[in-house]
Amino acid sequence: MRREYIAAHKRLMDESDGTSSAGRDVLVRLAFEKLPPETREVLFLIDIMGFKYAEAAEIMNVPTGTVMSRISRARKELLRRVNGDDQDEEQVKQTP
């Protein structure tokens, strides 16, 4: 999954349509802020702070495998939101 995340990140950077680096940063930050707290926590610890899975597991008081699962799901969700696939949950629920 890490390779997919890196490849998608690289693709986003390469395919930029003139959006400034600051603009991309804002998009990522806004998407990050919309994530649930548990999802933000694991992304923050692993991808922002650079902790190893075992270190993050100790901080979060969960097994290492749980961190691995959460980071995989969190990266997918963040990419989905950055790509604009984040329909409001209420809209999804109301759609027949």
Side-chain angles (χ1 to χ4, degrees), residues 20-39:
S20 70
S21 178
R24 281 190 305 270
D25 288 349
V26 169
L27 282 174
V28 171
R29 287 177 191 219
L30 289 172
F32 180 83
E33 289 174 9
K34 290 180 181 178
L35 295 171
E38 183 177 275
T39 304

Side-chain angles (χ1 to χ4, degrees), residues 15-80:
E15 292 178 357
S16 88
D17 56 328
T19 305
S20 70
S21 178
R24 281 190 305 270
D25 288 349
V26 169
L27 282 174
V28 171
R29 287 177 191 219
L30 289 172
F32 180 83
E33 289 174 9
K34 290 180 181 178
L35 295 171
E38 183 177 275
T39 304
R40 284 194 314 263
E41 178 183 36
V42 72
L43 280 170
F44 178 77
L45 291 172
I46 302 293
D47 290 342
I48 296 172
M49 296 301 295
F51 286 106
K52 297 193 181 313
Y53 292 162
E55 294 169 326
E58 187 174 326
I59 292 167
M60 296 168 62
N61 198 28
V62 298
T64 303
T66 300
V67 170
M68 294 168 72
S69 295
R70 286 182 185 177
I71 194 68
S72 176
R73 287 191 311 270
R75 288 173 178 155
K76 285 179 186 177
E77 180 62 16
L78 183 62
L79 284 173
R80 187 183 69 77

